[in-house]
Amino acid sequence: MDLTSATLDTDLTLDPKDWTDLRALGHRMLDDMMDYLENIREEPVWRPIPGAVKAFFDKEIPQHPENIEEIYDEFKRYILPYNKGNVHPRFFAFVQGTGTPFGVLAEMLAAALNPNVGIGEHASMYVDKQVVEWCKQMMNFPAEASGILLSGGSMANITALAVARNHQLGLDVRKSGLKAVDGQMTLYYSAETHSCMRKAAEVLGLGLEGVRQIPVDADYRINLEALEAAIQEDLAAGHLPFCIVGNAGTVNTGAIDPLDELRDIADRYKLWLHVDGAFGALAKLTPAYREPLKAIERADSVAFDLHKWMYMPYEVGVALVKYPQAHRDAFAVTPAYLSQEKRGLAGGPDPMNNFGMELSRGFKALKVWMSLKEHGLEKYARMIGQNIDQACYLGQLVDADPELELLAPVTMNIVCYRYVKPGLSEVELNELNREILIRLQEEGIASPSSTVLQGRFAIRVANVNQRSVKADFEVLARETVRIGREVGA
Amino acid sequence: MDLTSATLDTDLTLDPKDWTDLRALGHRMLDDMMDYLENIREEPVWRPIPGAVKAFFDKEIPQHPENIEEIYDEFKRYILPYNKGNVHPRFFAFVQGTGTPFGVLAEMLAAALNPNVGIGEHASMYVDKQVVEWCKQMMNFPAEASGILLSGGSMANITALAVARNHQLGLDVRKSGLKAVDGQMTLYYSAETHSCMRKAAEVLGLGLEGVRQIPVDADYRINLEALEAAIQEDLAAGHLPFCIVGNAGTVNTGAIDPLDELRDIADRYKLWLHVDGAFGALAKLTPAYREPLKAIERADSVAFDLHKWMYMPYEVGVALVKYPQAHRDAFAVTPAYLSQEKRGLAGGPDPMNNFGMELSRGFKALKVWMSLKEHGLEKYARMIGQNIDQACYLGQLVDADPELELLAPVTMNIVCYRYVKPGLSEVELNELNREILIRLQEEGIASPSSTVLQGRFAIRVANVNQRSVKADFEVLARETVRIGREVGA
C-alpha cells in the first residue's frame, strides 16, 4: 500500500537483505541435486557414518547467524554423503520409494506457496480434493466415497480404523468413550499384518487384547477357517467383533489375503472390512493384478501410500472410506475460530480436518497432482508392472542358483531369499546371511533389508524403485553369492 | 557396476530422458518462486477463485503424459494466484506462519534426498535427533527428555496425550485397552482450549464424557477453583482424573493459563500436566515472556509448532516428553522386518517410530536445522518479540480509535477487535463485522480471521508473520474503519 522502503528497513524480517545471494545459492543447490539424482547410480547405495560426522550433530542450538553458503557446505559434507539411499537404483530395503526429480521441483513450489491445506478458500484445497478423487479412481471406489491425504500408511490405517471403531459401535463413542462399550471390541487380521495395525488398536484404546492375529497358510495368506472360528468364539464369549483387516500385499512377502472371501465373512457377521494396501493396492493398476486385487473395491476402507509405489517424494499416503458421513462423524468439530463463511478466505470446501486428526496440513497434494500429469496413470501402471517383473526375475535368478534359496513364494514385488551352504545349521545360516546383508550395504553394492520367516533370516527385497534395471538384480544375486562364499569360507 | 547404457535404455524409468529440459524448468521455477516471495507485498493477500478455476480441478485422472512446461504453466495460472496467502505480510488469519525462502530451498534438498526418517543409520536420523535436542533446549527441558517431530500441533498434542493416558493408568493399557480401566478417565482443560484436544480425547477412546471443560476468568485463563472443584467431584464420583492441559497461548485470545498453579494442582492429585504451546510456547524465548512461561519447564509434556512462530514451511511441530521410557512405552513395537542390526543400514539410533504413530516420516528436520543455523535463536527471539510488539501496536490503534473496540485483552500476538457504530444491536454488529472481515479479504487488503467471544463476532489477528511491518497494522486498522463506514452506511 503506502509503505515506504524506509519503514520496511527498520523492521526485522527473516527474508534476506539481498535476494541475489540466496537466489544464486538456490540455483547451485538445484544443479547439485539434479546432478546427484542424475548420477546416483555412480554412488555407493550406502556408506557407514564416521564418528566425527555423528559428533557434528551433537551441538548446542545456534544462537547467532551462520553464513548460508557454509550451511550448505555442511549439508554437502555431513548429510548428503550419508543419505539413506532409497533414491539409489539398488535400494530395496523396507518398502521405500525413490521419488522423482519433477517431484523434487513440486515440493519446492509447495514450500514456496506454503499453504496450510486444512481449511479455507484457496487453490491448494481444490488440488488436494482433486488428488483424493484421483486416488478413488485408481481404486475404482465410488464417487461418493471420501478420503484424506496423510503422511503415510500408518496414519492412513489408523484413520480408517478410527472410522470403523466409531461407525460399527452403534453408539456415540466420541461422546461416551470406550468405557461405555458393553464388551470387548475385537479386530481381526493375519499374523503377517503390518505392525502399524497393532499400534492403531493400541492408540485407539482397543488394546492388544482386542486384536486377533489369525494364522496364515503356507503362502502367508490369512487362514479363513481360523478367522471364522475366532469370530464365532468371540461372539460366543460375548465380545464385539467389529472389523477385519485384509492385506493387499503383506510387508514380509507381498502376500494378498483372499479379499473376496474376507468381504463375504465380514458381511456374514456385519463387520467392517479395511484393506491395508500400503504398497500392494497399487498393483491393481497392472493387468496381472487387476483381478486378484479387484476385491479392494468391495472394502469399506482402504489405505495406501503414494510415496511407495507411486514413487512420490515423502510424505504422502491416503485413506479412502466408502461412507463419507461415517468418515466425517469420526473427526469433525468446528470451533468458533474455524467457522466457515460463505465468502472470503474462510469459505471454501468442507475443511480437511473434518476427516482426520490433523489441522496443520502441508501441500502434499501438489507433487501428486503434478507427477500424475507428468507421466499419466498408464505409465505408472507399466512402471509397477516392471517392478513386479524385476522381482520375478530375481526370483528366477535365486531359483537357478544352487547357492541361493527362496524363503517364500515371490508375490508381486517382494523376494525373500538366502545364501545356503551345505552342512550349516539354521542358526549358522541365519548368522551368515545377516553378515552377507550387512556387507552388501557396507560395500555400497545394494540395500535389501531383512525379515525372519519361520525362524529363518531372510534377505528381503521390496522393489518399489523406479531407477532399477534388470541388471541391478543380477548384481545383487551375484554379489550375494560372492560375499556368501567369502564369509562362509 | 557393469551396466551398459544399452541395458538402461530398455528399462522404464520416471526420470527424464533428457535432464537438461527439467533442469531449465527447475531454474525457472526457482526464479519465479523467489520473485513471488520477494514481491509478495505487491500482491493482494487473497483473491476469490473464479468458477472456471475450480472447474479445472474437476477432471478425470490423467492417463497419458503431459508436457512439464505446460503443467507448470497450469500451476502458475490456476494455483499460484489463488494461494492461501500466509506468505503475505498482511495475513493474520488462524495461526499460520509465513515460511522463509531459505526454508523453501531446504525443502527442495529434503525432497531430493527423500529419506524416510523412521529407522536406520543415515544422516537424516541424526539431523532429526539434533533438532529434537534443540527443541528441548528452547524449552529448557532436561537432557533426558524425549521428543518427536510431527506434522503440527494436533499430532503433537495427541501424541503427548497418548503417553499421558498410558502412563497414568498404572496398567498396561496397550495390552488391555480402555475396557480394563476401572472407572472413567477424566481430562481437564479450559473452555478456551484448542479443539484438537477434544479430538485427541475422542481418538484415544476417552470420549467427550471424559473431558472437563473448565470455565475461564475475564482474561480467558482457566479458573483454578473450578478446576480443583471438578477434580474433587470426579474423585468423589469414583472417576480417574489423569491429566490437566494448560495453555501457553490460547487460540482465541493468546491467554496463558496459570501454569505454575496448574503444576501444583497436578502434583496434589498426581496428574500429568501437558502444555499446549502450539504458538505461545515459543514466546518463552523473548525477555517479556521468559518468566510468565517459565513454568512450561515444569510440565510433563509440551507441544508446539515450528511452522507457526518459528516461521518454518509446513509441516513441522514437536512433542516433548519428560520421561523417555513412558514415551517409548506408549508406541514402541519391533516386528522382524524392522529389527535393528549393529552395523549397516539397519543400525543407527533408536527408531523414531518408537515414539509416535508414524512409520513413514519425511525429512522435516532439515529445514529446521538449516533455518536455525541461518538466523540463530537470538534472532528468532527478536522476531517473535517484534510480532508481539506489533500486536500491542494494533491494540493501541484500536484503543485510540472510537470506531474500533478491543474484545479481549491483547495477550502476546493476538488481537480480537471489532468495528462499532452507535445504535446497532449486538446481532447487527456481528453481521457488520463479518462483512468487514470478508471485504478486507476480498479487496486483497488483509486476511485476519474471526472468532466469537461472549457472543460477539471478533475480527481476530494472530501475528506469526515475519514479513509484517508496523505500517501493515495501520493499514488494517484504517481499512477496517473505512469498510465499516461504507458497509454501515
Side-chain angles (χ1 to χ4, degrees):
Chain A
M1 318 289 292
D2 55 354
L3 310 180
T4 65
S5 58
T7 316
L8 293 175
D9 279 351
T10 60
D11 286 274
L12 201 65
T13 174
L14 301 185
D15 282 344
K17 278 221 181 307
D18 178 358
W19 288 72
T20 316
D21 289 349
L22 187 77
R23 260 172 212 262
L25 177 61
H27 286 296
R28 192 148 65 79
M29 288 172 167
L30 180 62
D31 271 328
D32 289 348
M33 290 303 103
M34 291 296 141
D35 284 346
Y36 174 70
L37 294 176
E38 185 173 359
N39 304 308
I40 189 68
R41 179 171 286 284
E42 313 305 322
E43 291 283 314
V45 62
W46 185 86
R47 50 166 76 86
I49 311 181
V53 170
K54 293 185 195 179
F56 179 76
F57 295 107
D58 190 14
K59 289 196 164 51
E60 293 294 300
I61 190 167
Q63 293 294 338
H64 304 294
E66 298 173 24
N67 178 286
I68 54 173
E69 299 277 345
E70 284 167 23
I71 298 167
Y72 181 53
D73 284 345
E74 289 175 345
F75 165 85
K76 285 200 292 184
R77 200 164 144 198
Y78 296 106
I79 298 175
L80 185 61
Y82 309 103
N83 193 17
K84 190 166 198 179
N86 45 312
V87 290
H88 192 283
R90 279 188 302 280
F91 185 98
F92 309 118
F94 316 113
V95 191
Q96 304 194 350
T98 341
T100 67
F102 196 58
V104 173
L105 300 182
E107 283 285 79
M108 175 179 72
L109 299 177
L113 269 60
N114 197 34
N116 178 342
V117 193
I119 183 171
E121 174 78 342
H122 45 102
S124 63
M125 293 286 284
Y126 293 91
V127 178
D128 193 294
K129 287 193 173 284
Q130 173 71 102
V131 166
V132 169
E133 289 304 307
W134 288 353
C135 289
K136 285 158 57 180
Q137 290 169 24
M138 285 187 231
M139 287 301 124
N140 201 23
F141 253 47
E144 67 271 20
S146 52
I148 184 166
L149 300 181
L150 294 154
S151 65
S154 294
M155 287 307 297
N157 280 314
I158 192 172
T159 299
L161 279 199
V163 179
R165 179 194 73 174
N166 292 16
H167 182 257
Q168 294 301 105
L169 265 182
L171 67 87
D172 188 353
V173 71
R174 285 183 63 176
K175 181 160 169 281
S176 65
L178 288 173
K179 278 309 292 174
V181 180
D182 192 20
Q184 169 74 58
M185 294 184 78
T186 50
L187 171 66
Y188 303 82
Y189 53 68
S190 90
E192 290 291 303
T193 300
H194 194 277
S195 59
C196 72
M197 216 60 74
R198 169 186 167 174
K199 201 176 270 197
E202 293 169 347
V203 167
L204 294 171
L206 305 168
L208 194 53
E209 285 177 6
V211 171
R212 303 291 179 260
Q213 291 208 50
I214 310 298
V216 291
D217 63 21
D219 290 343
Y220 297 96
R221 294 149 44 106
I222 193 167
N223 180 319
L224 294 169
E225 284 168 25
L227 168 65
E228 203 156 358
I231 295 171
Q232 289 176 354
E233 197 176 309
D234 283 329
L235 286 171
H239 298 327
L240 300 170
F242 79 103
C243 180
I244 301 172
V245 177
N247 289 292
T250 58
V251 58
N252 270 334
T253 70
I256 301 168
D257 285 328
L259 300 176
D260 262 318
E261 289 79 356
L262 291 183
R263 173 75 271 172
D264 294 342
I265 293 173
D267 283 345
R268 201 169 309 145
Y269 298 96
K270 298 196 193 327
L271 311 183
W272 186 282
L273 177 64
H274 172 69
V275 171
D276 178 10
F279 60 95
L282 285 160
K284 190 172 183 298
L285 300 177
T286 69
Y289 282 88
R290 191 163 301 140
E291 279 311 310
L293 291 170
K294 189 166 171 51
I296 290 175
E297 299 170 16
R298 299 179 65 205
D300 298 305
S301 56
V302 60
F304 59 99
D305 278 314
L306 301 167
H307 56 221
K308 290 189 169 89
W309 228 349
M310 289 290 277
Y311 319 94
M312 307 284 168
Y314 279 93
E315 309 161 340
V316 60
V318 66
L320 301 178
V321 177
K322 280 253 176 83
Y323 320 107
Q325 196 60 47
H327 190 174
R328 201 177 189 283
D329 284 347
F331 295 107
V333 51
T334 306
Y337 45 88
L338 296 180
S339 64
Q340 281 208 283
E341 302 293 344
K342 289 201 175 62
R343 290 157 39 214
L345 171 67
D350 199 3
M352 307 299 182
N353 56 295
N354 285 336
F355 296 90
M357 297 181 215
E358 293 172 323
L359 184 54
S360 296
R361 295 177 74 245
F363 198 3
K364 296 176 162 65
L366 184 62
K367 60 193 170 200
V368 186
W369 186 80
M370 290 179 69
S371 300
L372 264 162
K373 288 167 76 78
E374 181 193 13
H375 298 296
L377 191 62
E378 183 270 337
K379 184 167 182 184
Y380 282 101
R382 281 192 292 133
M383 190 77 245
I384 292 167
Q386 175 172 292
N387 284 155
I388 295 170
D389 291 346
Q390 289 165 336
C392 292
Y393 180 62
L394 175 62
Q396 290 159 12
L397 294 175
V398 169
D399 245 356
D401 193 319
E403 290 176 87
L404 299 176
E405 178 187 27
L406 281 176
L407 291 181
V410 177
T411 316
M412 290 205 289
N413 60 331
I414 296 193
V415 185
C416 291
Y417 74 99
R418 65 175 175 179
Y419 177 80
V420 285
K421 193 185 168 188
L424 291 191
S425 71
E426 286 294 321
V427 172
E428 288 165 333
L429 279 175
N430 285 355
E431 276 318 296
L432 175 56
N433 278 281
R434 187 187 305 271
E435 184 63 25
I436 294 169
L437 172 64
I438 291 174
R439 290 205 191 180
L440 281 167
Q441 295 164 353
E442 284 181 340
E443 295 180 21
I445 297 167
S447 276
S449 57
S450 70
T451 194
V452 177
L453 295 173
Q454 298 173 336
R456 294 177 299 182
F457 184 93
I459 298 172
R460 175 179 162 284
V461 166
N463 184 22
V464 290
N465 197 318
Q466 59 93 351
R467 294 201 170 102
S468 310
V469 296
K470 258 188 169 179
D472 288 313
F473 299 90
E474 294 164 9
V475 169
L476 176 62
R478 192 181 65 223
E479 294 291 300
T480 303
V481 171
R482 175 187 61 82
I483 296 172
R485 285 179 189 164
E486 282 174 21
V487 176
Chain B
M1 317 289 290
D2 57 352
L3 311 180
T4 65
S5 60
T7 315
L8 294 174
D9 277 353
T10 59
D11 286 274
L12 200 65
T13 173
L14 302 186
D15 283 344
K17 277 220 183 308
D18 177 359
W19 287 73
T20 317
D21 289 349
L22 187 76
R23 261 172 213 262
L25 178 60
H27 286 297
R28 193 148 66 80
M29 288 172 167
L30 180 61
D31 270 328
D32 289 347
M33 289 304 103
M34 291 296 140
D35 284 345
Y36 174 69
L37 294 177
E38 187 174 357
N39 304 309
I40 189 68
R41 178 171 288 282
E42 312 307 319
E43 292 283 313
V45 62
W46 184 86
R47 49 166 77 83
I49 312 180
V53 170
K54 294 186 196 180
F56 180 76
F57 295 107
D58 189 16
K59 289 196 162 50
E60 293 294 300
I61 190 166
Q63 293 294 336
H64 303 294
E66 297 173 23
N67 179 287
I68 55 173
E69 299 277 345
E70 284 168 23
I71 298 167
Y72 180 54
D73 284 345
E74 290 175 346
F75 165 85
K76 286 199 293 184
R77 203 165 142 196
Y78 296 107
I79 298 175
L80 186 61
Y82 310 103
N83 194 18
K84 191 167 198 179
N86 45 312
V87 290
H88 193 283
R90 280 188 302 280
F91 186 98
F92 310 117
F94 316 113
V95 191
Q96 304 195 351
T98 342
T100 67
F102 197 58
V104 173
L105 301 181
E107 284 285 80
M108 174 179 73
L109 299 177
L113 269 60
N114 197 33
N116 178 342
V117 193
I119 184 172
E121 173 78 342
H122 46 101
S124 64
M125 293 286 283
Y126 293 92
V127 179
D128 194 295
K129 285 192 174 286
Q130 173 71 102
V131 167
V132 169
E133 289 305 308
W134 288 353
C135 289
K136 285 158 57 180
Q137 291 168 23
M138 283 187 234
M139 287 301 124
N140 200 22
F141 253 47
E144 66 271 19
S146 52
I148 185 165
L149 300 180
L150 294 153
S151 65
S154 294
M155 287 307 295
N157 280 314
I158 192 172
T159 299
L161 278 199
V163 179
R165 179 194 72 175
N166 292 17
H167 181 257
Q168 294 301 106
L169 265 181
L171 67 85
D172 188 353
V173 72
R174 284 183 64 176
K175 181 160 169 282
S176 65
L178 288 173
K179 277 310 291 176
V181 181
D182 192 19
Q184 170 74 58
M185 295 182 77
T186 49
L187 171 66
Y188 304 82
Y189 53 68
S190 88
E192 289 291 303
T193 301
H194 194 276
S195 59
C196 73
M197 216 61 73
R198 170 187 167 174
K199 202 177 269 196
E202 293 169 347
V203 167
L204 294 171
L206 305 168
L208 194 54
E209 286 178 4
V211 171
R212 304 290 178 261
Q213 290 207 49
I214 310 298
V216 290
D217 62 22
D219 289 343
Y220 297 97
R221 295 150 43 107
I222 191 167
N223 180 319
L224 294 169
E225 284 168 25
L227 169 64
E228 203 156 359
I231 295 171
Q232 289 176 354
E233 196 176 310
D234 283 328
L235 286 170
H239 298 326
L240 301 170
F242 80 103
C243 180
I244 300 171
V245 177
N247 289 292
T250 58
V251 58
N252 270 335
T253 70
I256 300 169
D257 286 328
L259 300 176
D260 262 317
E261 289 78 358
L262 290 184
R263 173 76 271 173
D264 296 341
I265 293 174
D267 284 345
R268 200 170 309 145
Y269 298 97
K270 298 195 191 331
L271 311 184
W272 185 283
L273 177 63
H274 172 68
V275 171
D276 178 8
F279 61 96
L282 285 160
K284 191 173 181 300
L285 300 177
T286 68
Y289 282 87
R290 192 163 299 140
E291 279 310 310
L293 290 170
K294 188 165 171 51
I296 290 176
E297 299 170 16
R298 298 179 66 204
D300 298 305
S301 57
V302 60
F304 60 99
D305 278 315
L306 301 167
H307 56 222
K308 290 191 169 90
W309 228 350
M310 290 290 277
Y311 319 95
M312 307 284 168
Y314 278 93
E315 309 160 341
V316 61
V318 66
L320 301 178
V321 177
K322 281 253 177 82
Y323 320 107
Q325 195 60 46
H327 190 174
R328 200 176 190 283
D329 285 348
F331 296 108
V333 52
T334 306
Y337 45 87
L338 296 180
S339 64
Q340 280 208 282
E341 302 293 344
K342 290 201 176 59
R343 289 155 41 212
L345 171 68
D350 199 3
M352 307 299 182
N353 56 295
N354 286 336
F355 297 90
M357 297 181 215
E358 294 172 322
L359 184 54
S360 295
R361 294 176 75 244
F363 198 3
K364 296 176 162 62
L366 184 62
K367 61 193 168 199
V368 186
W369 186 80
M370 291 179 68
S371 300
L372 265 162
K373 288 166 78 75
E374 181 194 14
H375 298 296
L377 191 61
E378 184 270 337
K379 185 167 180 183
Y380 282 102
R382 281 192 293 133
M383 189 78 243
I384 292 167
Q386 175 172 293
N387 284 156
I388 295 170
D389 290 345
Q390 288 165 338
C392 291
Y393 180 62
L394 175 61
Q396 290 159 11
L397 294 175
V398 169
D399 245 357
D401 193 320
E403 288 175 88
L404 298 176
E405 176 187 29
L406 280 177
L407 291 181
V410 177
T411 317
M412 291 206 288
N413 60 331
I414 297 193
V415 184
C416 290
Y417 73 99
R418 66 176 176 179
Y419 177 80
V420 284
K421 193 187 166 186
L424 292 190
S425 71
E426 286 295 321
V427 171
E428 288 165 334
L429 279 175
N430 285 355
E431 276 319 295
L432 175 56
N433 278 280
R434 187 187 305 271
E435 185 64 25
I436 294 170
L437 172 64
I438 290 174
R439 290 205 190 180
L440 281 167
Q441 295 164 352
E442 285 181 338
E443 294 181 20
I445 297 166
S447 275
S449 58
S450 69
T451 193
V452 177
L453 295 173
Q454 299 172 334
R456 295 177 297 182
F457 184 92
I459 299 174
R460 175 179 161 283
V461 165
N463 184 22
V464 290
N465 197 317
Q466 60 93 352
R467 295 201 169 102
S468 310
V469 295
K470 258 189 168 179
D472 288 312
F473 299 89
E474 295 165 6
V475 169
L476 176 61
R478 191 182 64 222
E479 294 291 299
T480 303
V481 171
R482 175 189 58 84
I483 297 172
R485 286 180 189 163
E486 283 174 21
V487 176

